[in-house]
Amino acid sequence: MNIIHIALMVGLWLIAIVKGKQYFQLRDEFIRSGEQEIPVECKNAKKVFISGLIAAIIYTLIKL
């Protein structure tokens, strides 16, 4: 595995971590607010987090 693959893998995992942190912050705000309906911003953050996490996992499995 060359340096480009390692950099790409680390980048994908960092994106997944950052997007996960954002999603969990939005989710915690929603829980504290006591609203009944999940905001669109929280739903979009969840989609981005899950897709980034899946991409990082698949890329890691393929390259290892």
Side-chain angles (χ1 to χ4, degrees), residues 30 35-40 43:
F30 164 68
E35 296 178 16
Q36 296 298 322
E37 188 174 328
I38 299 174
V40 175
K43 290 179 184 178

Side-chain angles (χ1 to χ4, degrees), residues 6-29:
I6 293 171
L8 183 59
M9 188 182 322
V10 169
L12 283 171
W13 280 105
L14 286 176
I15 289 172
I17 291 169
V18 169
K19 296 301 179 181
K21 184 179 176 184
Q22 290 174 352
Y23 165 66
F24 288 123
Q25 287 175 346
L26 288 171
R27 186 197 63 179
D28 290 344
E29 288 176 16

